Amino acid sequence: MNDIDTGYRTTPAADRAAELESNLTRLLARIDAACAAAGRDPATVRLLPVTKFFPADDIAILYRLGRREFGESRPQEAAAKVAALPGLLGIGWHMIGRLQRNKARQVARWAHTVHSVDSIRLADALDAATVAAQDAGERDTPLRVLIQVSLDDDPSRGGIAFGAVSELADHLARSQALVPAGLMAIPPLDADPAAAFAGLAAAHDRLRTEHPGAVELSAGMSDDLETAIVHGSTCVRVGTAVMGTRPITSR
Ligand SMILES: *Cc1c(COP(=O)(O)O)cnc(C)c1O
């Protein structure tokens, strides 16, 4: 197995497998409990393990444990892992981090879903890139995209204003190769996550009246997934609680 050297492998493989398995078991129990408390069916909340900064070997372990979707936030790093794991069939790779237009062509080769579309310009670049990837025989599916919404007004964290969601969703619906699949957000560090997720849920309700297929609500991370599930999350993006502490704190 090809290993991405992050300089962070501190445990032997068997120990790492045991560690990931117990983290995953605990996390799935948390999600089940949160769904029970919210009166939701756990089958309606997908778990997206976020594997950024961790090696391809960890993804192979999670695959053996039954996981089939993985979140990555840096195109270069993700592409290296995709290339390192050719034998694992049926994986859906999710690009969850900020994306520059000049990386669109690369991401269109491997991404199943992009969670971080926050401008018409980026949408156009991804649309052209996905068509090009289809023409080159690199993919045969459209690209699911989520609109990233800003829950504060801090542009450095990405996301568009609530008021711009509808226009971007209409634009995506007119694209050739993109499917508007829902919304994504990252709550501000100092905000009350319940208030932030409630606002997001309201925006998602509005979006679905215009785009009924946009059912995905990507919200909730290691520290706030219970709150996100109460507010309708259909996809929790969980890094630390599965993988352990990242060597560098970065989003
Ligand atoms: C890293 C990352 C996560 C996971 O964060 P944790 O707090 O480690 O669970 C979720 N979403 C995005 C966009 C990320 O970049």
Side-chain angles (χ1 to χ4, degrees):
M1 183 58 59
N2 218 332
D3 203 283
I4 306 294
D5 185 16
T6 59
Y8 199 60
R9 172 53 56 82
T10 53
T11 40
D15 292 354
R16 182 60 172 156
E19 180 182 355
L20 289 176
E21 183 166 18
S22 84
N23 288 352
L24 192 58
T25 302
R26 239 180 299 125
L27 176 62
L28 291 170
R30 260 179 83 187
I31 294 172
D32 281 354
C35 286
R40 296 186 57 195
D41 176 354
T44 64
V45 180
R46 84 168 80 213
L47 166 61
L48 187 64
V50 175
T51 45
K52 65 187 183 198
F53 295 102
F54 288 93
D57 279 353
D58 282 354
I59 297 172
I61 292 169
L62 291 169
Y63 185 91
R64 286 196 291 276
L65 294 169
R67 309 322 303 180
R68 290 294 180 270
E69 296 183 273
F70 299 96
E72 286 283 338
S73 64
R74 300 185 301 179
Q76 211 88 353
E77 178 187 338
K81 291 179 201 173
V82 173
L85 296 166
L88 306 190
L89 301 179
I91 287 192
W93 297 99
H94 293 240
M95 171 63 195
I96 65 172
R98 296 211 75 183
L99 179 57
Q100 288 166 346
R101 281 178 294 147
N102 63 8
K103 298 283 169 26
R105 182 66 181 86
Q106 208 250 70
V107 167
R109 293 198 175 97
W110 51 262
H112 167 275
T113 301
V114 173
H115 289 229
S116 45
V117 174
D118 60 359
S119 73
I120 285 178
R121 276 151 47 103
L122 177 57
D124 287 346
L126 278 171
D127 191 31
T130 304
V131 170
Q134 289 168 340
D135 289 348
E138 295 162 352
R139 69 179 300 135
D140 55 10
T141 54
L143 179 64
R144 295 172 79 241
V145 301
L146 306 182
I147 296 174
Q148 184 177 349
V149 181
S150 173
L151 299 176
D152 54 10
D153 280 320
D154 181 358
S156 70
R157 299 169 64 81
I160 60 166
F162 284 116
V165 168
S166 178
E167 186 192 0
L168 180 51
D170 291 348
H171 191 82
L172 291 170
R174 287 190 301 267
S175 71
Q176 280 190 73
L178 307 181
V179 176
L183 295 184
M184 179 275 225
I186 306 169
L189 287 174
D190 53 356
D192 167 16
F197 289 138
L200 179 66
H204 190 223
D205 287 344
R206 288 194 295 275
L207 175 66
R208 275 180 308 165
T209 64
E210 294 163 8
H211 298 276
V215 294
E216 191 92 85
L217 185 58
S218 169
M221 309 192 292
S222 293
D223 291 338
D224 58 13
L225 66 91
E226 283 85 358
T227 310
I229 287 171
V230 169
H231 292 284
S233 172
T234 64
C235 177
V236 291
R237 310 176 308 267
V238 183
T240 312
V242 183
M243 311 304 296
T245 309
R246 285 183 288 278
I248 308 164
T249 45
S250 165
R251 294 188 160 176

